Amino acid sequence: LGGCVRRRVLLGAMSCLQGCACGALFLSGRGRARPMVSTHELLDECWLRVLFCFSASELCAHARLSKRFHSLTNEDDLWIALCKLLWAGKQRVKNGELFRNGDYSLVRLSVPECKSLLLRRGVDIAGITEKPELLDVVQASTPPLWVRQPRPPIPVKWKTSFACAVEDSRRQQITEEEIAELHWQLVYHGQPSSLGLRNFQKGGVYMSPHLGETRWSLVVDPEEGQFFCMHGFGPLHVKRNPDTWGWSIGAATDTVYVSVEV
């Protein structure tokens, strides 16, 4: 069965299982009915096999069925699989690692997870060896989440990672730190530059192959959005790519900078 049809079948099966008055489902077999196992007798492993076919919204919906389903639908393995699907083709995310911009103040992190987050956030962890210290630095370095409304607390690690990634993907303003961390492909008059990728340095410095050292900055217009300003160029509009979660500077102009993975 196709993915959508398969989910509908599974959702229908679960509805029958949950709504059956006697707590068991009866199926006809060779002209007679025979009782199936009660939903309460099914092992968690069996339900997890079913839940692996669900989308994030379907898992959240079924979490309201009962305390047992609330626990099952929050299993990390389910959300690790969903993160892998969501992050395919996206920039600055890596399978098997928590989303770097996530807020993990309500979950338990291991020492390797703390170090991974801090390294990808550009935090120097030399001399920090104790877990409480690492957790403090993780919390202190958590970037603000650019969301339309406050996110409800999610005390589950990989579900938190998924939710924060989705929220962050809606952000339409890039930070100065991201400008400096990313690599940029210059596309001039529709043709990629042959002089390699560009790097904008922290502190607003840019070493141009043509202009030498120049300055850059970010400006936000309440009505027009965010602009990248550089000496010798007019303001270039900053735009998010919803398909890759990457960024472009100067879209629809003769001078376009596009963020790329290296």
Side-chain angles (χ1 to χ4, degrees):
L1 292 175
C4 293
V5 176
R6 190 179 178 184
R7 277 199 294 272
R8 290 194 193 101
V9 172
L10 290 170
L11 284 170
M14 288 190 67
S15 297
C16 291
L17 287 169
Q18 291 296 330
C20 186
C22 63
L25 181 69
F26 287 80
L27 297 177
S28 294
R30 296 184 179 179
R32 60 180 179 178
R34 59 186 180 90
M36 298 293 287
V37 177
S38 166
T39 59
H40 300 291
E41 297 176 8
L42 288 177
L43 297 175
D44 288 351
E45 290 78 3
C46 297
W47 281 121
L48 286 173
R49 292 286 295 272
V50 173
L51 295 174
F52 264 110
C53 300
F54 284 17
S55 67
S57 59
E58 290 166 346
L59 286 179
C60 292
H62 282 79
R64 305 187 187 102
L65 290 176
S66 65
K67 289 184 178 179
R68 184 187 182 193
F69 271 99
H70 183 271
S71 176
L72 286 172
T73 55
N74 282 331
E75 283 289 332
D76 274 339
D77 287 345
L78 296 174
W79 292 97
I80 289 173
L82 288 172
C83 284
K84 184 177 180 179
L85 289 174
L86 176 67
W87 295 347
K90 305 299 193 296
Q91 293 186 10
R92 305 185 78 206
V93 291
K94 185 177 180 181
N95 286 332
E97 294 187 349
L98 296 168
F99 181 65
R100 61 182 289 168
N101 284 351
D103 178 4
Y104 301 104
S105 57
L106 298 179
V107 303
R108 296 181 180 180
L109 298 176
S110 66
V111 169
E113 288 169 339
C114 290
K115 291 183 176 180
S116 173
L117 286 169
L118 292 172
L119 288 173
R120 285 179 288 136
R121 291 176 180 178
V123 178
D124 184 8
I125 60 173
I128 304 177
T129 57
E130 298 298 326
K131 185 175 181 179
E133 293 179 285
L134 288 169
L135 291 172
D136 288 342
V137 179
V138 167
Q139 183 60 24
S141 65
T142 298
L145 295 176
W146 295 266
V147 293
R148 299 173 184 173
Q149 57 186 3
R151 176 175 59 84
I154 306 174
V156 185
K157 184 163 45 183
W158 279 94
K159 187 176 181 181
T160 294
S161 184
F162 183 95
C164 289
V166 171
E167 289 179 355
D168 191 80
S169 71
R170 302 185 181 121
R171 175 168 53 95
Q172 297 302 311
Q173 293 185 11
I174 196 170
T175 66
E176 293 183 354
E177 290 76 15
E178 287 174 313
I179 291 280
E181 290 175 6
L182 289 166
H183 298 271
W184 300 87
Q185 173 68 65
L186 170 61
V187 181
Y188 188 64
H189 287 283
Q191 297 296 322
S193 171
S194 60
L195 298 179
L197 300 178
R198 305 299 202 265
N199 296 95
F200 299 100
Q201 300 176 22
K202 293 181 179 180
V205 177
Y206 173 54
M207 299 301 298
S208 168
H210 301 290
L211 304 176
E213 182 175 329
T214 187
R215 307 292 299 182
W216 65 268
S217 62
L218 291 172
V219 176
V220 177
D221 184 289
E223 296 182 357
E224 299 295 329
Q226 189 179 41
F227 291 87
F228 179 88
C229 300
M230 187 163 59
H231 180 72
F233 294 87
L236 300 174
H237 192 256
V238 177
K239 186 177 181 181
R240 192 79 182 265
N241 185 327
D243 297 324
T244 66
W245 295 356
W247 300 87
S248 65
I249 297 173
T253 69
D254 292 336
T255 303
V256 184
Y257 294 91
V258 181
S259 65
V260 297
E261 290 277 24
V262 295

